[in-house]
Amino acid sequence: MRFAYVSETLQRKLGGQVAERLLRKVGRYPGAKQLATVKQEAALIRAACLEAHDPTIGAQVGIGYRDAPTLSSYIAASSKTLRVAVEHAARFYSLADPTTRFELREIADGEALEVLSLDAGLQANERFQEFLVFGVLARIQSITRRDTRPTRVVFKHAALGDVRAYERIAGCPVQFGGGFNGLRFAQGVPDVPLEAHDPDLVTHLTRLAETQLRDLDADDGRLWDRVERMLVQALPERFLTADEVAEQLGITRRTLTRRLGAEGGSYRDLCNGLRYRLAKAHLRDGRSVTETTFLLAYKDQASFSTAFKGWSGAAPSAFVAGLDASQRA
């Protein structure tokens, strides 16, 4: 459902032929019967930003996503307050998008609504993160039926482009290089009552959602995926060692090694594969080699370039030159 909105919006913004080419580029062909994945959606948004030479495309598409026809959205819209709506979304949003989580917490000068991507690749797609956060802002304004604005929109990554362009879309200050991806609100804003509150409807829909959740696999997923998420969350400050990961998981390094091996590789394999995917994502997003070196917590550019050449067979600069050539073509 959300993918259909994204693709239709991009058709209006970029034109039908361009949008169709981008859809094919991410593996979506006319008449496709399988549902689109969140990764395809994220890749489409990134491709659209590159095509338009406008990093704010994701934010523009997100701020227009005001009406989401999903069970979790209906429950949120019928909740008593915005706070309760967020709590319901945190509980049931996985029914529509299993890759995204929400967390509302108190901070020094108010409250923060954090938007979390559980997949490491999605976390690294900065344009998709902007789409998600601006989409959450749009939904909040829709269900509160007022121009509810945060004190600040916050992103963990550094800005790519003019921050003022993002602020015009948000209608409030936008901070890059913050501690999380999400929204900051003044104290008490999440307790605003919702005009469409319907307790009977909430009870009925919640029962349906709980049934659907019970039908889903209760497994938290592969250890491999959990470790990747931990590594990405620690960046760019540091790249965790195997010992640090094992300690945070409450297991021994030997157990970590054994379980990762059972899932198909070593800790070194996991780290190299993750860093390579993140490096390509940052370079495709227009980050410089120097900036990518910092974002992946390498001690210097020479170390990163050596590692990248080992993964791809080419230097980062050659990879970027290849991207430029394909875009010109």
Side-chain angles (χ1 to χ4, degrees), residues 19 23 59 65 103 157 163 168 194 209 211 213 241 303 326:
L23 285 165
Y65 191 57
E103 179 181 334
H157 56 267
V163 176
R168 285 192 291 269
L194 303 185
T211 300
L213 282 179
T241 66
S303 299
S326 64

Side-chain angles (χ1 to χ4, degrees), residues 52-70:
H53 302 287
D54 183 356
T56 71
I57 288 290
Q60 293 177 43
V61 176
I63 202 65
Y65 191 57
R66 301 181 64 85
D67 299 309
T70 63

